[in-house]
Amino acid sequence: AQTVVPASKEEVWNYFQDPVQLEEMAQFPEVEVESSGKTEEGAEIRLYLYFGIWKTVWDSVITYVDAPNAFQDEGKKLPFPFTAWRHTHTFQDLGPLTGVHDYIEFESVVPAWMVKCFLSGMFKSRKAFVVNQFSPENKRRSAFD
């Protein structure tokens, strides 16, 4: 998935490198994050995912960081239906804009098309949130908060 964000690469990197931002970005499922707050190799992140009354845990570790260009997380303890997960985030300087790319590799116990449908919806809502987060209107408003 790709998102073009109306902000510099450094601004976007600073936002994404804090795992707690995932709590704001995630519309469904609702997410609660436990982490050191740093995106550095070896950092562990625990996500609590809430699907209505059902709660599950997702443990990941940051396996690669090339600030401010990319970072990668890999699943350690994954919820159903995943058996493997690797998510690479890259950030591309597009002048006054930044291209955010998500490349996901996974294995699951259900057909890949089912997982892709769920992930597509999840990333579509995340994309809209992130673009709005960096919109000029939000930047101006936050300067006066």
Side-chain angles (χ1 to χ4, degrees):
Q2 176 183 344
T3 304
V4 177
V5 179
S8 72
K9 185 162 88 169
E10 289 72 24
E11 288 177 277
V12 176
W13 171 264
N14 288 336
Y15 181 78
F16 274 85
Q17 67 86 35
D18 181 356
V20 174
Q21 296 298 349
L22 188 56
E23 290 180 359
E24 286 188 359
M25 281 187 260
Q27 305 298 307
F28 183 82
E30 185 179 332
V31 175
E32 183 180 336
V33 177
E34 277 184 13
S35 94
S36 66
K38 297 178 184 175
T39 298
E40 57 191 15
E41 287 184 34
E44 295 188 5
I45 301 163
R46 171 165 279 185
L47 304 177
Y48 296 98
L49 308 175
Y50 298 91
F51 297 88
I53 61 170
W54 182 58
K55 173 182 166 183
T56 189
V57 174
W58 181 311
D59 289 337
S60 292
V61 63
I62 303 295
T63 55
Y64 172 78
V65 177
D66 174 21
N69 303 305
F71 69 94
Q72 183 176 78
D73 60 90
E74 292 188 28
K76 288 176 53 179
K77 178 182 179 190
L78 299 167
F80 176 85
F82 296 104
T83 57
W85 175 271
R86 179 180 298 143
H87 182 183
T88 304
H89 314 251
T90 63
F91 306 89
Q92 180 182 12
D93 189 346
L94 302 173
L97 308 173
T98 300
V100 178
H101 304 269
D102 292 286
Y103 181 71
I104 298 169
E105 301 168 80
F106 68 87
E107 294 176 17
S108 73
V109 296
V110 300
W113 67 267
M114 292 175 76
V115 174
K116 288 178 183 178
C117 283
F118 173 75
L119 292 176
S120 175
M122 185 179 75
F123 277 96
K124 186 176 181 180
S125 68
R126 187 179 296 183
K127 175 180 182 173
F129 179 87
V130 170
V131 169
N132 185 55
Q133 185 74 12
F134 286 96
S135 71
E137 297 80 26
N138 277 340
K139 284 184 176 181
R140 277 195 297 275
R141 190 173 26 209
S142 65
F144 298 105
D145 287 346

